[in-house]
Amino acid sequence: MSRARVAVLISGRGSNMAALIEAAKDPAYPAEIVLVLSNIADAGGLDIAQAAGIETAVIAHAPFGKDREAHERMIDARLRQSGVHIVALAGYMRVLTPYLVETWAGRMINIHPSLLPAFPGLHTHQRALEAGVAKHGCTVHLVTTGVDEGPILGQAEVEVLPGDDEDRLGARVLEQEHKLYARCLADLVGALGD
Ligand code: GAR
């Protein structure tokens, strides 16, 4: 059976990307990571991907100034060059325009560090602590034009413990992110059935 060809888009350390690469080392996993693409030239995750023998690309956003769509056209061309079927955003910290979102509708997923629809946006762990929630966690969802709004593919819950701070809570959520993302990507490949 041929495996789905997945590109992972990152802007930073790439621990979720690394978890997907790890999952895909199992030949029975239904996806392979064929490209890691970053908008940041020195994103730490690029080194991890290269060490794993995965093709990487950097398409910096700065040269495009305010023309976000022109940046995304370059990204799209690179994804097609690698014959990608599915795009997984993993700490890709750019808001996408409708151009890229609609081009990859149903085939672009994102991981977010909260139980959406609670706490979209940034600083989710701090905001969860301030809100005094008992349960926090992470979400994998299809990407739509509304930020952190697409249909939810899966969630993992984490209990907020007495004495938690942003780092401790964030670390426990991240551990769950790594498992959830690999599972949801495999489920999506199964649901797409191609
Ligand atoms: C992850 O916690 C991910 O959920 C979050 O950025 C972190 C990236 O870490 N994404 C967002 O906040 C997107 N809205 P990683 O580079 O180690 O995977």
Side-chain angles (χ1 to χ4, degrees):
M1 191 195 79
S2 73
R3 307 205 288 163
R5 296 173 66 79
V6 174
V8 185
L9 268 54
I10 63 168
S11 297
R13 69 187 163 184
S15 73
N16 277 290
M17 171 214 73
L20 295 180
I21 291 173
E22 201 52 42
K25 281 185 184 163
D26 179 351
Y29 191 75
E32 59 179 323
I33 312 304
V34 296
L35 177 69
V36 170
L37 189 152
S38 180
N39 62 316
I40 304 288
D42 61 358
L46 291 171
D47 295 335
I48 300 172
Q50 281 158 12
I54 291 166
E55 206 172 316
T56 61
V58 174
I59 302 180
H61 57 274
F64 296 91
K66 290 200 164 88
D67 195 347
R68 286 173 175 266
E69 195 174 307
H71 179 233
E72 292 177 0
R73 284 188 189 280
M74 289 280 290
I75 292 175
D76 185 57
R78 188 64 188 78
L79 296 172
R80 284 171 200 285
Q81 191 188 322
S82 285
V84 164
H85 302 132
I86 293 173
V87 179
L89 307 181
Y92 184 72
M93 303 311 264
R94 300 274 299 169
V95 173
L96 299 175
T97 77
Y99 164 71
L100 201 64
V101 171
E102 280 159 17
T103 301
W104 288 90
R107 294 178 172 274
M108 182 184 277
I109 57 178
N110 180 47
I111 185 144
H112 182 77
S114 76
L115 295 172
L116 290 171
F119 313 118
L122 299 174
H123 310 297
T124 55
H125 310 312
Q126 189 56 41
R127 287 159 58 211
L129 288 168
E130 281 164 11
V133 294
K135 286 197 190 305
H136 184 44
C138 49
T139 303
V140 172
H141 63 96
L142 285 169
V143 176
T144 56
T145 47
V147 176
D148 301 328
E149 269 184 18
I152 290 172
L153 301 179
Q155 292 188 310
E157 284 186 0
V158 165
E159 215 182 315
V160 180
L161 301 176
D164 264 349
D165 59 16
E166 190 178 1
D167 288 348
R168 288 173 60 171
L169 180 57
R172 291 206 310 287
V173 172
L174 192 64
E175 216 174 288
Q176 294 304 315
E177 289 187 41
H178 297 161
K179 295 181 195 160
L180 179 72
Y181 213 179
R183 194 170 77 231
C184 289
L185 174 59
D187 289 349
L188 177 66
V189 172
L192 289 172
D194 56 12

